[in-house]
């Protein structure tokens, strides 16, 4: 993911009773949903570590990679055009 925002929202759904952390910070979950704002103060690559634990289940961990840029248009220009994707498909 690439963004020019200073703060992004990490959100998801988990089983009721699960505990969620983002980069080691406990995130409250209600009725199986969680949401947490995460600051990206510096330009560059950021890895957010999302960990979910639940009674009787193996803990699950996901790395979310985000690149913050001050020039979103320039970052988009780094990607080549893919003519196989048409507007109707989006």
């Amino acid at each position: 993911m690439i963004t020019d925002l200073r703060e992004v929202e990490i959100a998801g759904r988990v089983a009721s009773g699960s505990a969620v952390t983002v980069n080691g910070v406990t995130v409250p979950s209600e009725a199986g949903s969680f949401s947490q704002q995460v600051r990206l103060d510096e330009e560059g690559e950021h890895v957010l570590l999302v960990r979910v634990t639940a009674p009787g289940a193996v803990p699950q961990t996901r790395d979310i990679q985000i690149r913050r840029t001050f020039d979103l248009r320039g970052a988009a220009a780094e990607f080549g055009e893919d003519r196989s994707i048409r507007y109707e498909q989006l």
Side-chain angles (χ1 to χ4, degrees):
M1 174 180 176
I2 300 175
T3 184
D4 60 352
L5 300 175
R6 180 179 302 216
E7 195 169 87
V8 295
E9 181 177 14
I10 304 300
R13 295 202 36 86
V14 294
S16 285
S18 296
V20 180
T21 62
V22 176
N23 288 349
V25 176
T26 299
V27 177
S29 63
E30 185 175 320
S33 295
F34 70 92
S35 175
Q36 178 71 27
Q37 296 290 330
V38 178
R39 289 186 58 89
L40 307 173
D41 290 324
E42 302 293 326
E43 184 176 36
E45 302 295 328
H46 299 265
V47 177
L48 306 181
L49 183 65
V50 179
R51 184 171 174 83
V52 179
T53 57
V58 175
Q60 297 292 313
T61 303
R62 297 290 182 269
D63 293 341
I64 300 173
Q65 297 185 12
I66 301 174
R67 184 173 85 176
R68 179 166 183 224
T69 181
F70 298 135
D71 178 15
L72 195 55
R73 186 178 301 274
E78 295 174 11
F79 293 90
E81 182 179 348
D82 185 348
R83 293 185 179 267
S84 69
I85 300 174
R86 296 188 317 270
Y87 183 78
E88 306 84 51
Q89 293 173 305
L90 300 176

